[in-house]
Amino acid sequence: QSMVTVVPSEPEKINVPWGGRSHPESLLRECINSVEIRTLDAAAIPGWSVKPNAVCDDNGIHYTIKKEFGLNIWTENDNYKSFFVGNNKPELRPTSENTANLSWRLRLDRYDTGLLDLEQLEPSGKIKKQLMDLFEYYFIPVTMKPASAVNGGIQEIKFSVSLTMEPTIILPILLQVKNLVIDKLYYDYSDNHWVLDATFWEKNNV
């Protein structure tokens, strides 16, 4: 009777979920610096007002502009670029007849891409508790969302932090996690209010 050799299946190869995403410190500092510069720049198109908020993500810093008494022709094709000086001109994308999105690229340092090594990840729940404890220590409220399973024995957890001070204050906390990314950073300059949405990954022990 012939013996049957069972070859163990190789673990599924998965790309690093945070590969190619921006480092949190890079995005945070670039966003803060750009808010100081671009908020004024965004008001350059005559007759178009800027809504009092900015959003930063991996693709840049974004503003919404609204037509008050300006002309639509100024936002068509590349006509708008004549109102901006320098080489780093924004991209403009109309979102309705009377609104448009203005975006500038940010110079961001990014995580390397590659295949995931599960040993890179912390056990389920460890990072969440670490972050919750740190935010509590600094009296900063944080909202953690339920973990979401990703294939290959990993899970992602999203959280958000609301601040009325410059968000560099939480950098020491964020840098405690080696596989964390900022999804979006919102700034409302009418009341100097920041909201940070972020994601980290850990092992799924279920």
Side-chain angles (χ1 to χ4, degrees), residues 128-148:
K128 179 178 179 179
K129 184 178 187 321
Q130 179 186 15
L131 287 174
M132 295 282 281
D133 289 349
L134 284 167
F135 281 119
E136 184 182 16
Y137 180 81
Y138 289 103
F139 300 99
I140 298 172
V142 58
T143 304
M144 287 276 177
K145 296 181 180 173
S148 173

Side-chain angles (χ1 to χ4, degrees), residues 41-85:
D41 291 348
I45 302 176
W48 287 72
S49 65
V50 186
K51 291 194 175 181
N53 44 59
V55 183
C56 296
D57 58 24
D58 284 345
N59 297 315
I61 182 169
H62 316 283
Y63 292 88
T64 297
I65 58 172
K66 180 183 178 185
K67 186 174 80 168
E68 302 293 348
F69 55 85
L71 303 178
N72 279 29
I73 193 172
W74 288 340
T75 60
E76 293 171 358
N77 302 317
D78 284 342
N79 296 336
Y80 71 94
K81 290 187 176 179
S82 63
F83 297 110
F84 297 92
V85 297

Side-chain angles (χ1 to χ4, degrees), residues 2 19 43 72 85 89 120-122 124 129-130 149 154 167 175:
S2 60
N72 279 29
V85 297
K89 297 183 188 296
Q120 292 177 270
L121 296 178
E122 297 288 354
S124 176
K129 184 178 187 321
Q130 179 186 15
I154 62 175
L175 295 178

Side-chain angles (χ1 to χ4, degrees), residues 75-141:
T75 60
E76 293 171 358
N77 302 317
D78 284 342
N79 296 336
Y80 71 94
K81 290 187 176 179
S82 63
F83 297 110
F84 297 92
V85 297
N87 295 324
N88 191 7
K89 297 183 188 296
E91 293 298 318
L92 184 146
R93 180 177 58 86
T95 49
S96 75
E97 186 178 344
N98 296 315
T99 60
N101 183 274
L102 276 179
S103 300
W104 281 267
R105 292 281 179 184
L106 299 175
R107 293 180 180 178
L108 300 172
D109 298 325
R110 296 179 183 267
Y111 287 107
D112 292 334
T113 56
L115 293 177
L116 176 66
D117 176 4
L118 276 176
E119 296 307 311
Q120 292 177 270
L121 296 178
E122 297 288 354
S124 176
K126 184 175 179 180
I127 297 173
K128 179 178 179 179
K129 184 178 187 321
Q130 179 186 15
L131 287 174
M132 295 282 281
D133 289 349
L134 284 167
F135 281 119
E136 184 182 16
Y137 180 81
Y138 289 103
F139 300 99
I140 298 172

